[in-house]
Amino acid sequence: MAPRRERASRLRSPAAVRLAPLAALALALPASTLGACAHTGGSCGSDRDCKLDRVCDAGSCVWAQGQRATASAGGAATSAETASALPQYALEAAQAMFRLGPSHRGRSPYNLPAGKPDIAWTVLTGGPVVSSPAVADDGTVLFGSHDGKLYAVARDGATKWSYATGDIIFGSPAVAHDGTIYIGSDDDHLYAVVPSSAKPRWIFQVGACPQRIGIGPEASRCDVDAGPTIGPDGVVYTGGDGVYAINPDGTLRWRFATGGHVASAPAVLGDGTVVAGSQDDLVYGIAPDGTKRWDFRTGGDVDAAPAVGDDGTIYVGSDDRKIYALGADGSLRWAFTTGGDVRASVAIGNGLIYAGSFDAQMYAVRLDGTLAWTFRSGDRIVSSALVDAKGAILFGSQDDRLYCLEPDGHLRWSVELGGDVDSSPTLAADGTIFVGSDDRKLYALRAPSASAP
């Protein structure tokens, strides 16, 4: 079993291999990304009306020729940087992302195997796999590893390609409607990768931290290990030294400053409000233009990704050992106390919410905040649960096991893997389960009758 990790953003292992400098990666970017990039900031009458180093051109603030879209990432350190009315970039829903959608409910339309599945195949990487897999429409399985690489794997387990970033990857890939793959890295960058070429369309630098790789608070502050989340309009939301909204063309829409690192994927409410937790102990509600609507203070770091119920209630865990239910206006509805830190994102289904805790228990809590049942695993739970179409619950534990529970909390089956299971599992339409482990592998598990590729 791999050594137990403390707070992910405070204890970082360096990348297993040192990769090419990011400056070299930038050479692969198209000229349109590196050249003049329109970045509107509202109407202007002169250059003085424009933020940062943009200039006023024909009444709009734009980047001067030769400046990169990433130049604005470290600016506006104390307030949100807003833009004009949001274009409708996406005409279709995103293909895949963490927790199956921008609401992060973790509710799958597919069914888990009724019996204990077999391990169909594994893919060995160069580091632990904490990233939750994403399945694209063509069946490609995408995931990140602590070896700093994004992997694309066919349904038979063959590696199609891999793309190396500059540091370890904690977060999960998101796949846009057009197939573009977004992935964050602890090298302080968000990457938009084109699957057909396995090369970046653009690379966006988050923040301006002087130390971009390695361990320690300064090296971790701008890490892009939050999400990313794709909104209904195609805008990409992620975290680092704040909350970022990034247009699909790689330009900054806005940045919202927080008092601590944002380590989990932001969620998006039906009215466009972006909800994100931070290691300053706060949960933030951010308007679509990047301004603050509200904040709610918990008693500890908020490393869990928020989840949004069907009625708009926001559920989020905290290191103060509590699960919170908040109204859409940030008001407290109730708080439920567990026996340990809650860093797993809440799953919603069967009229219940499910969240794992560092006390090794999976909690099923009614929508009024009362306990329905608990299930005890053998060690801490960081993996976020998935609820299938019939209400079964799937999650991993640091006892090296993947658990499937019946809707009433009784054990259906469990499978022992080769290391801690901190990755949140993903379920494909044919019942195949994909999940990562600290033994450096991605696992594909199928019911015995479906084990053959």
Side-chain angles (χ1 to χ4, degrees), residues 22 68-75 183-191 202-212 218-226 228 236-246 250 252 254-256 261-262:
L22 290 171
R68 295 185 57 173
T70 55
S72 61
I183 188 72
S185 171
D186 279 10
D187 64 8
D188 301 358
H189 288 79
L190 178 71
Y191 296 79
W202 48 258
I203 302 172
F204 183 96
Q205 181 184 329
V206 165
C209 294
Q211 185 179 348
R212 295 183 185 171
E218 184 56 34
S220 301
R221 186 165 57 91
C222 295
D223 289 353
V224 187
D225 44 21
V236 183
Y237 301 96
T238 191
D241 61 337
V243 181
Y244 286 76
I246 302 167
L252 178 68
W254 50 256
R255 172 186 180 269
F256 180 86
H261 179 60
V262 177

Short mmCIF file of all heavy atoms in Angstrom, two decimals, residues 22 68-75 183-191 202-212 218-226 228 236-246 250 252 254-256 261-262:
data_model
loop_
_atom_site.label_atom_id
_atom_site.label_comp_id
_atom_site.label_asym_id
_atom_site.label_seq_id
_atom_site.Cartn_x
_atom_site.Cartn_y
_atom_site.Cartn_z
N LEU A 22 8.59 24.52 -20.52
CA LEU A 22 7.32 24.98 -21.09
C LEU A 22 7.54 25.95 -22.24
O LEU A 22 6.72 26.05 -23.14
CB LEU A 22 6.48 25.64 -20.00
CG LEU A 22 5.94 24.64 -18.97
CD1 LEU A 22 5.32 25.39 -17.82
CD2 LEU A 22 4.95 23.70 -19.60
N ARG A 68 0.94 37.18 -25.65
CA ARG A 68 0.26 35.91 -25.55
C ARG A 68 -1.04 36.07 -24.79
O ARG A 68 -1.19 36.93 -23.94
CB ARG A 68 1.14 34.88 -24.83
CG ARG A 68 2.38 34.51 -25.58
CD ARG A 68 3.13 33.41 -24.88
NE ARG A 68 2.27 32.25 -24.70
CZ ARG A 68 2.70 31.09 -24.22
NH1 ARG A 68 3.96 30.95 -23.90
NH2 ARG A 68 1.87 30.07 -24.09
N ALA A 69 -1.95 35.15 -25.06
CA ALA A 69 -3.21 35.13 -24.32
C ALA A 69 -2.96 34.87 -22.85
O ALA A 69 -3.72 35.31 -22.00
CB ALA A 69 -4.12 34.04 -24.88
N THR A 70 -1.88 34.19 -22.51
CA THR A 70 -1.60 33.87 -21.13
C THR A 70 -1.07 35.06 -20.34
O THR A 70 -0.92 34.97 -19.13
CB THR A 70 -0.57 32.75 -21.04
OG1 THR A 70 0.59 33.13 -21.79
CG2 THR A 70 -1.11 31.45 -21.61
N ALA A 71 -0.80 36.16 -20.99
CA ALA A 71 -0.18 37.28 -20.28
C ALA A 71 -1.07 37.82 -19.19
O ALA A 71 -0.59 38.37 -18.21
CB ALA A 71 0.15 38.40 -21.27
N SER A 72 -2.39 37.67 -19.29
CA SER A 72 -3.29 38.23 -18.30
C SER A 72 -3.50 37.34 -17.10
O SER A 72 -4.16 37.72 -16.16
CB SER A 72 -4.65 38.50 -18.95
OG SER A 72 -5.22 37.30 -19.42
N ALA A 73 -2.92 36.14 -17.11
CA ALA A 73 -3.24 35.18 -16.06
C ALA A 73 -2.84 35.66 -14.68
O ALA A 73 -3.50 35.36 -13.70
CB ALA A 73 -2.58 33.84 -16.35
N GLY A 74 -1.76 36.39 -14.56
CA GLY A 74 -1.30 36.78 -13.25
C GLY A 74 -1.78 38.15 -12.82
O GLY A 74 -1.41 38.62 -11.75
N GLY A 75 -2.59 38.81 -13.61
CA GLY A 75 -3.00 40.16 -13.28
C GLY A 75 -4.23 40.24 -12.42
O GLY A 75 -4.84 39.25 -12.04
N ILE A 183 -6.84 19.72 -19.57
CA ILE A 183 -6.21 19.07 -18.42
C ILE A 183 -5.30 20.08 -17.72
O ILE A 183 -4.60 20.86 -18.37
CB ILE A 183 -5.39 17.82 -18.85
CG1 ILE A 183 -4.90 17.03 -17.64
CG2 ILE A 183 -4.25 18.19 -19.77
CD1 ILE A 183 -5.97 16.29 -16.90
N GLY A 184 -5.34 20.09 -16.40
CA GLY A 184 -4.47 20.96 -15.62
C GLY A 184 -3.28 20.20 -15.09
O GLY A 184 -3.30 18.97 -14.94
N SER A 185 -2.21 20.93 -14.79
CA SER A 185 -0.98 20.33 -14.28
C SER A 185 -0.45 21.18 -13.13
O SER A 185 -0.74 22.38 -13.04
CB SER A 185 0.07 20.23 -15.40
OG SER A 185 1.34 19.87 -14.89
N ASP A 186 0.34 20.54 -12.28
CA ASP A 186 0.96 21.28 -11.18
C ASP A 186 2.12 22.15 -11.66
O ASP A 186 2.83 22.73 -10.84
CB ASP A 186 1.43 20.32 -10.09
CG ASP A 186 0.30 19.89 -9.18
OD1 ASP A 186 -0.87 20.18 -9.50
OD2 ASP A 186 0.57 19.27 -8.13
N ASP A 187 2.32 22.25 -12.96
CA ASP A 187 3.27 23.22 -13.51
C ASP A 187 2.61 24.59 -13.70
O ASP A 187 3.19 25.47 -14.35
CB ASP A 187 3.88 22.72 -14.82
CG ASP A 187 2.85 22.57 -15.94
OD1 ASP A 187 1.69 22.99 -15.77
OD2 ASP A 187 3.21 22.01 -16.99
N ASP A 188 1.40 24.76 -13.15
CA ASP A 188 0.66 26.03 -13.17
C ASP A 188 0.04 26.34 -14.54
O ASP A 188 -0.24 27.50 -14.83
CB ASP A 188 1.53 27.22 -12.75
CG ASP A 188 2.12 27.08 -11.36
OD1 ASP A 188 1.81 26.06 -10.69
OD2 ASP A 188 2.87 27.97 -10.94
N HIS A 189 -0.22 25.33 -15.33
CA HIS A 189 -0.78 25.55 -16.66
C HIS A 189 -2.01 24.67 -16.89
O HIS A 189 -2.09 23.54 -16.40
CB HIS A 189 0.25 25.26 -17.75
CG HIS A 189 1.33 26.30 -17.84
ND1 HIS A 189 2.40 26.33 -16.98
CD2 HIS A 189 1.51 27.35 -18.69
CE1 HIS A 189 3.19 27.36 -17.29
NE2 HIS A 189 2.67 27.99 -18.32
N LEU A 190 -2.94 25.23 -17.66
CA LEU A 190 -4.07 24.48 -18.21
C LEU A 190 -3.79 24.25 -19.68
O LEU A 190 -3.44 25.19 -20.41
CB LEU A 190 -5.38 25.25 -18.04
CG LEU A 190 -6.62 24.59 -18.63
CD1 LEU A 190 -7.02 23.37 -17.81
CD2 LEU A 190 -7.77 25.58 -18.72
N TYR A 191 -3.96 23.01 -20.13
CA TYR A 191 -3.66 22.63 -21.49
C TYR A 191 -4.94 22.30 -22.24
O TYR A 191 -5.83 21.62 -21.70
CB TYR A 191 -2.75 21.40 -21.53
CG TYR A 191 -1.38 21.62 -20.94
CD1 TYR A 191 -1.18 21.60 -19.56
CD2 TYR A 191 -0.28 21.84 -21.76
CE1 TYR A 191 0.08 21.80 -19.01
CE2 TYR A 191 0.99 22.03 -21.22
CZ TYR A 191 1.15 22.01 -19.84
OH TYR A 191 2.41 22.21 -19.30
N TRP A 202 -3.62 25.28 -27.26
CA TRP A 202 -3.08 26.41 -26.51
C TRP A 202 -2.71 25.96 -25.11
O TRP A 202 -3.13 24.89 -24.65
CB TRP A 202 -4.03 27.60 -26.46
CG TRP A 202 -5.46 27.32 -26.08
CD1 TRP A 202 -6.53 27.24 -26.93
CD2 TRP A 202 -5.99 27.10 -24.77
NE1 TRP A 202 -7.69 26.97 -26.24
CE2 TRP A 202 -7.39 26.88 -24.91
CE3 TRP A 202 -5.45 27.06 -23.49
CZ2 TRP A 202 -8.23 26.63 -23.81
CZ3 TRP A 202 -6.27 26.81 -22.39
CH2 TRP A 202 -7.64 26.61 -22.56
N ILE A 203 -1.87 26.76 -24.43
CA ILE A 203 -1.45 26.52 -23.06
C ILE A 203 -1.67 27.81 -22.29
O ILE A 203 -1.18 28.87 -22.70
CB ILE A 203 0.03 26.09 -22.97
CG1 ILE A 203 0.27 24.83 -23.80
CG2 ILE A 203 0.44 25.87 -21.53
CD1 ILE A 203 1.74 24.46 -23.91
N PHE A 204 -2.40 27.73 -21.19
CA PHE A 204 -2.74 28.92 -20.42
C PHE A 204 -2.04 28.86 -19.06
O PHE A 204 -2.20 27.89 -18.32
CB PHE A 204 -4.25 28.99 -20.22
CG PHE A 204 -4.73 30.22 -19.48
CD1 PHE A 204 -5.17 31.33 -20.19
CD2 PHE A 204 -4.73 30.27 -18.10
CE1 PHE A 204 -5.62 32.46 -19.52
CE2 PHE A 204 -5.17 31.41 -17.42
CZ PHE A 204 -5.61 32.50 -18.13
N GLN A 205 -1.26 29.89 -18.74
CA GLN A 205 -0.59 29.95 -17.44
C GLN A 205 -1.52 30.55 -16.40
O GLN A 205 -2.07 31.63 -16.58
CB GLN A 205 0.69 30.77 -17.51
CG GLN A 205 1.43 30.84 -16.17
CD GLN A 205 2.64 31.74 -16.23
OE1 GLN A 205 3.29 31.86 -17.27
NE2 GLN A 205 2.95 32.37 -15.10
N VAL A 206 -1.69 29.84 -15.30
CA VAL A 206 -2.50 30.31 -14.19
C VAL A 206 -1.60 31.00 -13.17
O VAL A 206 -0.63 30.41 -12.69
CB VAL A 206 -3.26 29.13 -13.53
CG1 VAL A 206 -3.81 29.53 -12.18
CG2 VAL A 206 -4.39 28.66 -14.44
N GLY A 207 -1.91 32.24 -12.86
CA GLY A 207 -1.16 32.99 -11.86
C GLY A 207 0.23 33.35 -12.32
O GLY A 207 0.62 33.15 -13.47
N ALA A 208 1.00 33.87 -11.36
CA ALA A 208 2.38 34.28 -11.65
C ALA A 208 3.28 33.86 -10.50
O ALA A 208 4.14 34.61 -10.05
CB ALA A 208 2.45 35.79 -11.85
N CYS A 209 3.09 32.62 -10.02
CA CYS A 209 3.91 32.13 -8.93
C CYS A 209 5.35 31.96 -9.39
O CYS A 209 5.60 31.37 -10.44
CB CYS A 209 3.36 30.80 -8.42
SG CYS A 209 1.73 30.92 -7.65
N PRO A 210 6.33 32.45 -8.61
CA PRO A 210 7.72 32.36 -9.05
C PRO A 210 8.25 30.93 -9.09
O PRO A 210 9.18 30.64 -9.83
CB PRO A 210 8.47 33.20 -8.01
CG PRO A 210 7.57 33.24 -6.81
CD PRO A 210 6.18 33.19 -7.35
N GLN A 211 7.65 30.04 -8.29
CA GLN A 211 8.06 28.63 -8.30
C GLN A 211 6.92 27.81 -8.88
O GLN A 211 5.87 27.67 -8.27
CB GLN A 211 8.40 28.16 -6.88
CG GLN A 211 8.94 26.74 -6.83
CD GLN A 211 9.30 26.30 -5.41
OE1 GLN A 211 9.34 27.12 -4.50
NE2 GLN A 211 9.55 25.02 -5.23
N ARG A 212 7.11 27.25 -10.06
CA ARG A 212 6.03 26.58 -10.77
C ARG A 212 5.99 25.08 -10.55
O ARG A 212 4.95 24.45 -10.76
CB ARG A 212 6.13 26.87 -12.27
CG ARG A 212 5.91 28.33 -12.60
CD ARG A 212 5.94 28.56 -14.10
NE ARG A 212 5.86 29.97 -14.43
CZ ARG A 212 6.04 30.47 -15.65
NH1 ARG A 212 6.30 29.65 -16.66
NH2 ARG A 212 5.96 31.77 -15.86
N GLU A 218 4.55 27.78 -1.76
CA GLU A 218 4.68 28.69 -2.91
C GLU A 218 4.62 27.93 -4.22
O GLU A 218 4.04 28.40 -5.20
CB GLU A 218 6.00 29.47 -2.82
CG GLU A 218 6.17 30.52 -3.92
CD GLU A 218 5.02 31.52 -3.98
OE1 GLU A 218 4.47 31.85 -2.90
OE2 GLU A 218 4.67 31.96 -5.09
N ALA A 219 5.18 26.72 -4.24
CA ALA A 219 5.13 25.91 -5.46
C ALA A 219 3.72 25.41 -5.73
O ALA A 219 3.37 25.14 -6.89
CB ALA A 219 6.08 24.73 -5.35
N SER A 220 2.89 25.27 -4.70
CA SER A 220 1.56 24.69 -4.85
C SER A 220 0.47 25.72 -5.10
O SER A 220 -0.62 25.36 -5.54
CB SER A 220 1.20 23.89 -3.59
OG SER A 220 2.13 22.87 -3.35
N ARG A 221 0.72 26.99 -4.82
CA ARG A 221 -0.34 28.00 -4.82
C ARG A 221 -1.03 28.14 -6.16
O ARG A 221 -2.24 28.36 -6.24
CB ARG A 221 0.24 29.35 -4.37
CG ARG A 221 -0.78 30.45 -4.18
CD ARG A 221 -0.18 31.62 -3.40
NE ARG A 221 1.00 32.15 -4.02
CZ ARG A 221 1.01 33.15 -4.90
NH1 ARG A 221 -0.14 33.69 -5.29
NH2 ARG A 221 2.13 33.60 -5.41
N CYS A 222 -0.28 28.02 -7.26
CA CYS A 222 -0.85 28.21 -8.59
C CYS A 222 -1.07 26.88 -9.33
O CYS A 222 -1.36 26.88 -10.53
CB CYS A 222 0.03 29.12 -9.44
SG CYS A 222 0.15 30.82 -8.82
N ASP A 223 -0.93 25.75 -8.63
CA ASP A 223 -1.16 24.46 -9.26
C ASP A 223 -2.56 24.39 -9.86
O ASP A 223 -3.53 24.81 -9.24
CB ASP A 223 -1.02 23.32 -8.25
CG ASP A 223 0.41 23.09 -7.80
OD1 ASP A 223 1.32 23.71 -8.38
OD2 ASP A 223 0.61 22.28 -6.88
N VAL A 224 -2.67 23.83 -11.06
CA VAL A 224 -3.97 23.68 -11.71
C VAL A 224 -4.44 22.23 -11.50
O VAL A 224 -4.33 21.38 -12.37
CB VAL A 224 -3.90 24.04 -13.20
CG1 VAL A 224 -5.30 24.05 -13.82
CG2 VAL A 224 -3.24 25.40 -13.40
N ASP A 225 -4.92 21.97 -10.29
CA ASP A 225 -5.42 20.63 -9.96
C ASP A 225 -6.92 20.66 -9.67
O ASP A 225 -7.46 19.73 -9.08
CB ASP A 225 -4.65 20.02 -8.79
CG ASP A 225 -4.41 21.00 -7.64
OD1 ASP A 225 -5.16 21.99 -7.53
OD2 ASP A 225 -3.48 20.76 -6.85
N ALA A 226 -7.59 21.72 -10.11
CA ALA A 226 -9.02 21.89 -9.86
C ALA A 226 -9.80 21.70 -11.15
O ALA A 226 -9.89 22.60 -11.96
CB ALA A 226 -9.29 23.28 -9.28
N PRO A 228 -10.57 20.52 -14.84
CA PRO A 228 -11.45 21.68 -15.09
C PRO A 228 -12.91 21.29 -15.29
O PRO A 228 -13.22 20.13 -15.52
CB PRO A 228 -10.86 22.26 -16.38
CG PRO A 228 -10.28 21.07 -17.08
CD PRO A 228 -9.77 20.15 -16.00
N VAL A 236 -14.42 27.37 -19.73
CA VAL A 236 -13.73 26.41 -18.88
C VAL A 236 -13.40 27.07 -17.54
O VAL A 236 -12.82 28.16 -17.51
CB VAL A 236 -12.44 25.93 -19.56
CG1 VAL A 236 -11.75 24.87 -18.71
CG2 VAL A 236 -12.73 25.38 -20.95
N TYR A 237 -13.77 26.40 -16.45
CA TYR A 237 -13.53 26.92 -15.10
C TYR A 237 -12.54 26.03 -14.38
O TYR A 237 -12.65 24.81 -14.38
CB TYR A 237 -14.84 26.99 -14.31
CG TYR A 237 -15.89 27.84 -14.96
CD1 TYR A 237 -16.87 27.29 -15.76
CD2 TYR A 237 -15.90 29.23 -14.78
CE1 TYR A 237 -17.84 28.07 -16.37
CE2 TYR A 237 -16.85 30.03 -15.39
CZ TYR A 237 -17.82 29.44 -16.19
OH TYR A 237 -18.78 30.22 -16.79
N THR A 238 -11.55 26.66 -13.76
CA THR A 238 -10.56 25.91 -13.00
C THR A 238 -10.05 26.78 -11.87
O THR A 238 -10.51 27.91 -11.68
CB THR A 238 -9.42 25.43 -13.91
OG1 THR A 238 -8.61 24.50 -13.21
CG2 THR A 238 -8.55 26.59 -14.39
N GLY A 239 -9.12 26.26 -11.10
CA GLY A 239 -8.60 27.00 -9.96
C GLY A 239 -7.10 26.98 -9.93
O GLY A 239 -6.42 26.30 -10.72
N GLY A 240 -6.55 27.71 -9.00
CA GLY A 240 -5.12 27.83 -8.77
C GLY A 240 -4.97 28.79 -7.61
O GLY A 240 -5.37 28.50 -6.48
N ASP A 241 -4.43 30.00 -7.90
CA ASP A 241 -4.38 31.04 -6.89
C ASP A 241 -5.67 31.84 -6.86
O ASP A 241 -5.72 32.93 -6.30
CB ASP A 241 -3.19 31.97 -7.16
CG ASP A 241 -3.28 32.67 -8.51
OD1 ASP A 241 -3.99 32.16 -9.40
OD2 ASP A 241 -2.65 33.74 -8.66
N GLY A 242 -6.71 31.31 -7.42
CA GLY A 242 -8.05 31.91 -7.48
C GLY A 242 -8.90 31.03 -8.38
O GLY A 242 -8.53 29.89 -8.70
N VAL A 243 -10.04 31.57 -8.79
CA VAL A 243 -10.92 30.86 -9.71
C VAL A 243 -10.80 31.54 -11.07
O VAL A 243 -10.88 32.77 -11.17
CB VAL A 243 -12.39 30.89 -9.22
CG1 VAL A 243 -13.29 30.13 -10.18
CG2 VAL A 243 -12.48 30.32 -7.81
N TYR A 244 -10.64 30.73 -12.12
CA TYR A 244 -10.43 31.24 -13.47
C TYR A 244 -11.55 30.79 -14.39
O TYR A 244 -11.98 29.64 -14.33
CB TYR A 244 -9.10 30.74 -14.03
CG TYR A 244 -7.88 31.41 -13.44
CD1 TYR A 244 -7.43 31.07 -12.18
CD2 TYR A 244 -7.19 32.39 -14.15
CE1 TYR A 244 -6.32 31.68 -11.62
CE2 TYR A 244 -6.08 33.01 -13.60
CZ TYR A 244 -5.64 32.65 -12.34
OH TYR A 244 -4.55 33.28 -11.80
N ALA A 245 -12.00 31.71 -15.23
CA ALA A 245 -12.91 31.40 -16.33
C ALA A 245 -12.14 31.67 -17.61
O ALA A 245 -11.69 32.80 -17.86
CB ALA A 245 -14.16 32.26 -16.26
N ILE A 246 -11.99 30.64 -18.44
CA ILE A 246 -11.15 30.72 -19.63
C ILE A 246 -11.99 30.39 -20.85
O ILE A 246 -12.69 29.37 -20.89
CB ILE A 246 -9.95 29.75 -19.52
CG1 ILE A 246 -9.14 30.08 -18.26
CG2 ILE A 246 -9.07 29.81 -20.76
CD1 ILE A 246 -8.15 29.01 -17.88
N GLY A 250 -8.69 30.02 -25.41
CA GLY A 250 -7.51 30.15 -24.57
C GLY A 250 -7.30 31.51 -23.97
O GLY A 250 -6.28 31.75 -23.30
N LEU A 252 -8.35 34.66 -21.34
CA LEU A 252 -8.93 34.79 -20.01
C LEU A 252 -10.25 35.54 -20.08
O LEU A 252 -10.33 36.63 -20.65
CB LEU A 252 -7.97 35.53 -19.09
CG LEU A 252 -8.48 35.79 -17.67
CD1 LEU A 252 -8.62 34.49 -16.89
CD2 LEU A 252 -7.55 36.76 -16.94
N TRP A 254 -12.30 35.83 -17.01
CA TRP A 254 -12.12 36.57 -15.77
C TRP A 254 -11.35 35.73 -14.77
O TRP A 254 -11.24 34.51 -14.92
CB TRP A 254 -13.43 37.06 -15.16
CG TRP A 254 -14.57 36.07 -15.00
CD1 TRP A 254 -15.69 35.97 -15.77
CD2 TRP A 254 -14.70 35.04 -13.99
NE1 TRP A 254 -16.50 34.95 -15.31
CE2 TRP A 254 -15.93 34.38 -14.22
CE3 TRP A 254 -13.91 34.63 -12.92
CZ2 TRP A 254 -16.38 33.32 -13.42
CZ3 TRP A 254 -14.35 33.58 -12.12
CH2 TRP A 254 -15.58 32.93 -12.37
N ARG A 255 -10.82 36.40 -13.78
CA ARG A 255 -10.15 35.76 -12.65
C ARG A 255 -10.75 36.31 -11.37
O ARG A 255 -10.89 37.52 -11.23
CB ARG A 255 -8.65 36.02 -12.66
CG ARG A 255 -7.92 35.56 -11.40
CD ARG A 255 -6.46 35.98 -11.42
NE ARG A 255 -5.75 35.54 -10.23
CZ ARG A 255 -5.63 36.25 -9.12
NH1 ARG A 255 -6.19 37.47 -9.04
NH2 ARG A 255 -4.96 35.78 -8.08
N PHE A 256 -11.09 35.42 -10.46
CA PHE A 256 -11.61 35.83 -9.15
C PHE A 256 -10.58 35.44 -8.09
O PHE A 256 -10.24 34.27 -7.94
CB PHE A 256 -12.96 35.15 -8.87
CG PHE A 256 -13.55 35.52 -7.54
CD1 PHE A 256 -14.34 36.65 -7.41
CD2 PHE A 256 -13.33 34.73 -6.42
CE1 PHE A 256 -14.88 37.00 -6.18
CE2 PHE A 256 -13.86 35.07 -5.20
CZ PHE A 256 -14.64 36.21 -5.07
N HIS A 261 -5.41 28.58 -1.95
CA HIS A 261 -5.39 27.76 -3.16
C HIS A 261 -6.76 27.13 -3.40
O HIS A 261 -7.43 26.68 -2.47
CB HIS A 261 -4.34 26.67 -3.01
CG HIS A 261 -4.24 25.74 -4.18
ND1 HIS A 261 -3.93 26.17 -5.45
CD2 HIS A 261 -4.44 24.40 -4.28
CE1 HIS A 261 -3.90 25.14 -6.27
NE2 HIS A 261 -4.22 24.04 -5.59
N VAL A 262 -7.18 27.10 -4.66
CA VAL A 262 -8.41 26.43 -5.08
C VAL A 262 -8.01 25.09 -5.68
O VAL A 262 -7.46 25.03 -6.78
CB VAL A 262 -9.20 27.28 -6.09
CG1 VAL A 262 -10.44 26.53 -6.57
CG2 VAL A 262 -9.60 28.61 -5.45
#
